Amino acid sequence: MILHIDMDAFFASVEQRDNPDLRGKPIAVGGFSKRSVVATASYEARKFGVSSAMPIFQAKKICPCLIIIPAQKKKYRRISREIMELLRTYSPIVEPVSIDEAYIDINGCERIFGDAGEIAISISKKIKNQLFLTCSIGGAPVKFLAKIASDLNKPDGITIIKEKEMEKFIRKIDIRKIPGVGPCAMKQMHLLGIKTLGEVRKVKKAILMQKFGKFGSTLYAFSRGEDNSIVKTEEKRKSISSESTLNKDIHETGKIRKLILLHSEIVGRELREKNLIAKNISIKLKFSDFSHITRQKALTIPTDSSSVIYRAAKQLIENIEIRKKIRLIGVGTSLLSDKHKQVQMEFFKSNAGNINKWEKIDRTMDFISKKFGDNKIKKASLTLNDLE
Ligand code: TTP
Ligand code: MG
């Protein structure tokens, strides 16, 4: 069994925990400027309709008594580490997926700690007693169902789906709850008359693939309760890469650069989503005669920045004399480590400003893509339609 743990109103709950005056009140964690948005809102504020990503001024309008608290990211990251450590006392196979969320593989731990339900209760109690925070937990034989389950009884809820209950559960899952289904996919689904994961089973795999590409086969598998992804501990996540085989072989420098940029962005985003940083950057080229080369370089400071990855990959490409046309381009990162464990960040002053600026751009783009779906925002140099 796999458990998915997600903290309730994480940043806001931490602030309410640390300041008793805020308890039971509608609060939002965010910035003070006119353009700031709500990072998260307490459940008291959510009753008024305040939600993540809402501009602060709008949140204030619908909830005039809303108290705005500045975010203290360092503090949240420290607590996040404490949560992950607490989870590792149950099983060594813990995969942190965001600052307040993790999977834990509890197969084989049942004899020591009891069944999935008992382990979930024990984790929830420990988080309450040791960290004075609440979480919601989902449990299932596969990862995607555990994630969906943790959201079903929020806040402070536990939902366990046993093997024999999967079929019934899947039938009713609202398509919006499936990880990876963005607004565009939603529209397509509705056109196909699909509202639940159960209804996906009525659609042929070929049609799903045609409409949703690679995600179509994921949907096909999910609708049958299949999900081969495993809970990945740090050691298992050795590298993250992205590559594409081109419809037409290319040799133009401009196009090559754009593809390098595209893949750097994809890799950067995945690193950031998983809270990882990479020390090694690599590129892979396959030529029209099917020969291939790879090149790699080590960075002085590990990164999760798309632009740092891009610059390193571009340098690697520039050092290669390309004589043949290219049929595949890829960018990879390895020597990954947990971002939270990063200790030193010594930038030359002149460079620090630049890196921070690009970090902000990365985060903003991640946020927009997460909220509105991929392809809604991309760097200007990736907007031309000549990447195929
Ligand atoms: P979530 O788990 O998505 O939200 P949450 O924990 O606040 O609330 P819930 O009870 O529904 O799980 O995100 C975890 C934290 O990440 C959240 O407390 C603040 C931060 N965050 C942002 O900064 N911006 C965002 O848009 C979102 C969604 C979260
Ligand atoms: Mg949460």
Side-chain angles (χ1 to χ4, degrees):
M1 286 289 267
I2 292 166
L3 299 182
H4 178 258
I5 289 97
D6 189 301
M7 302 302 291
D8 301 322
F10 185 46
F11 295 2
S13 306
V14 170
E15 296 307 330
Q16 288 181 319
R17 174 192 82 168
D18 293 350
N19 180 355
D21 288 345
L22 300 175
R23 292 183 200 157
K25 294 190 181 148
I27 73 160
V29 177
F32 283 109
S33 92
K34 252 188 167 177
R35 292 149 56 89
S36 304
V37 293
V38 173
T40 194
S42 66
Y43 277 79
E44 294 84 357
R46 292 184 196 194
K47 283 188 199 141
F48 290 83
V50 179
S51 62
S52 294
M54 181 179 272
I56 296 274
F57 77 89
Q58 194 186 334
K60 270 282 206 192
K61 227 188 248 171
I62 59 170
C63 178
C65 52
L66 187 70
I67 304 165
I68 313 292
I69 308 289
Q72 300 188 63
K73 291 268 173 67
K74 249 193 193 164
K75 177 162 82 169
Y76 311 141
R77 276 199 285 269
R78 177 175 48 79
I79 298 166
S80 176
R81 281 196 295 273
E82 289 169 8
I83 297 163
M84 303 307 163
E85 280 314 307
L86 188 150
L87 295 179
R88 286 190 191 100
T89 61
Y90 290 86
S91 156
I93 311 173
V94 172
E95 178 184 349
V97 269
S98 79
I99 194 159
D100 84 326
E101 199 187 337
Y103 290 101
I104 168 167
D105 186 331
I106 53 164
N107 287 307
C109 307
E110 284 96 338
R111 248 194 272 159
I112 315 169
F113 298 110
D115 66 15
E118 287 167 319
I119 295 179
I121 292 171
S122 169
I123 290 175
S124 166
K125 266 194 192 154
K126 245 192 190 169
I127 290 181
K128 246 180 240 164
N129 295 339
Q130 293 183 10
L131 301 171
F132 307 102
L133 293 168
T134 65
C135 66
S136 295
I137 303 181
V142 287
K143 246 174 144 181
F144 89 97
L145 282 181
K147 168 133 179 126
I148 294 171
S150 72
D151 200 42
L152 288 182
N153 278 310
K154 251 186 178 299
D156 199 11
I158 293 174
T159 310
I160 306 289
I161 305 157
K162 297 199 177 109
E163 181 111 43
K164 56 178 190 295
E165 298 159 351
M166 278 169 66
E167 167 86 29
K168 195 170 145 210
F169 184 80
I170 284 170
R171 234 182 290 146
K172 287 189 268 173
I173 294 174
D174 189 319
I175 215 77
R176 277 175 300 189
K177 302 264 181 202
I178 298 167
V181 174
C184 292
M186 272 285 298
K187 245 193 194 160
Q188 290 271 9
M189 301 262 192
H190 281 170
L191 288 176
L192 287 169
I194 303 171
K195 289 212 173 69
T196 64
L197 190 54
E199 283 163 353
V200 171
R201 295 176 75 152
K202 294 186 206 147
V203 186
K204 285 205 174 96
K205 189 173 182 183
I207 296 186
L208 290 171
M209 301 276 292
Q210 186 202 332
K211 299 274 179 208
F212 307 105
K214 213 172 126 197
F215 186 58
S217 67
T218 306
L219 274 174
Y220 181 85
F222 279 3
S223 70
R224 284 154 180 82
E226 293 157 15
D227 178 7
N228 290 330
S229 43
I230 53 166
V231 179
K232 298 182 199 117
T233 55
E234 229 165 89
E235 299 74 46
K236 284 182 188 151
R237 301 179 249 132
K238 291 232 166 67
S239 66
I240 287 178
S241 59
S242 169
E243 60 181 46
S244 56
T245 302
L246 311 167
N247 289 338
K248 228 167 80 185
D249 295 355
I250 58 165
H251 65 271
E252 298 89 339
T253 322
K255 283 187 185 172
I256 297 170
R257 274 207 197 131
K258 272 183 198 170
L259 282 156
I260 292 284
L261 176 59
L262 177 78
H263 291 299
S264 302
E265 300 251 321
I266 295 171
V267 169
R269 185 169 305 158
E270 192 172 339
L271 285 171
R272 294 189 293 279
E273 267 169 19
K274 295 183 171 159
N275 283 313
L276 293 169
I277 43 174
K279 175 103 175 117
N280 251 10
I281 310 296
S282 60
I283 52 147
K284 176 172 161 189
L285 295 180
K286 235 183 215 174
F287 298 103
S288 42
D289 61 358
F290 286 85
S291 61
H292 73 274
I293 55 167
T294 55
R295 293 285 183 272
Q296 60 172 317
K297 70 176 274 178
L299 301 171
T300 340
I301 301 162
T303 193
D304 65 355
S305 151
S306 301
S307 89
V308 174
I309 297 169
Y310 170 63
R311 268 181 281 150
K314 191 162 72 94
Q315 256 180 25
L316 288 169
I317 284 273
E318 281 164 0
N319 289 334
I320 302 169
E321 202 185 326
I322 299 170
R323 292 207 204 96
K324 292 172 263 187
K325 283 194 169 183
I326 296 170
R327 66 185 311 269
L328 176 147
I329 294 192
V331 173
T333 51
S334 56
L335 290 182
L336 308 183
S337 56
D338 199 328
K339 186 168 188 178
H340 302 321
K341 288 192 188 149
Q342 187 178 20
V343 276
Q344 66 114 36
M345 267 291 212
E346 271 180 5
F347 298 127
F348 291 112
K349 260 217 153 91
S350 59
N351 232 352
N354 256 341
I355 290 174
N356 285 339
K357 184 182 89 185
W358 282 109
E359 260 191 5
K360 271 187 202 154
I361 293 173
D362 280 343
R363 305 253 164 235
T364 311
M365 289 181 59
D366 289 350
F367 174 72
I368 293 173
S369 304
K370 198 172 165 194
K371 209 80 203 161
F372 303 104
D374 288 342
N375 293 327
K376 281 287 176 286
I377 183 161
K378 53 176 97 143
K379 299 239 165 85
S381 40
L382 285 178
T383 51
L384 297 179
N385 274 339
D386 56 358
L387 289 179
E388 283 80 35

